[in-house]
Amino acid sequence: PILDKSKNYIAIVTSGSKTFNFPGLLFAYTLIPNKEDGDIFLNHLKKQDGLSSPSIMGMESTIAAYEKASDWVDALNEYLDDNIHAVQLFLKEHIPEIKVVYPESTYLIWLDVSDLNMTMDELQHRLINIGKVAIMDGQTYGGNGQHFLRYNVGCPKSKVLEGLERLKLSIET
């Protein structure tokens, strides 16, 4: 469907490694909408050092994951949604100056810290030295990231809540 909405040519390179947590199996695939361009791409790969020889274990794992693990992905998405909801509730109750930007297709959420009465440098200093927690400064990712923290909720809920307590401690002290 994405091709129907684009006037430009689109090819997609992707992998199951983030969803299924097997980046070490080194497998990705490409979706190219026409055979001629697919052949050109494949010929180019064959001229590179081993790039046309995929990891068999990665390929088989990807196929197995896509064919047999949809229930696991559904459960994972529910778990992540629950973690995101926990972040929203915690911040609303304890640090209402921080707003959550609800993520799309990721377990990394953006926390808008622009209403805190401190610079990002001061906040980062407090996070590291008081809260003993590293929450990525959004500036690293460009755009208007200077007003955001990037918070990972792709972990046990206890870790998500512990990080939030450390964030709270960092701001209150």
Side-chain angles (χ1 to χ4, degrees), residues 118 122-123 125-127 129-131 165-173:
M118 65 183 76
E122 182 182 358
L123 178 57
H125 177 79
R126 288 168 167 259
L127 287 168
N129 296 298
I130 297 171
E165 289 290 348
R166 290 171 182 251
L167 170 63
K168 180 180 167 200
L169 175 66
S170 301
I171 291 170
E172 290 177 343
T173 303

Side-chain angles (χ1 to χ4, degrees), residues 126-146:
R126 288 168 167 259
L127 287 168
I128 292 166
N129 296 298
I130 297 171
K132 307 290 186 215
V133 63
I135 305 175
M136 291 297 295
D137 175 349
Q139 264 180 176
T140 304
Y141 307 97
N144 65 346
Q146 70 270 15

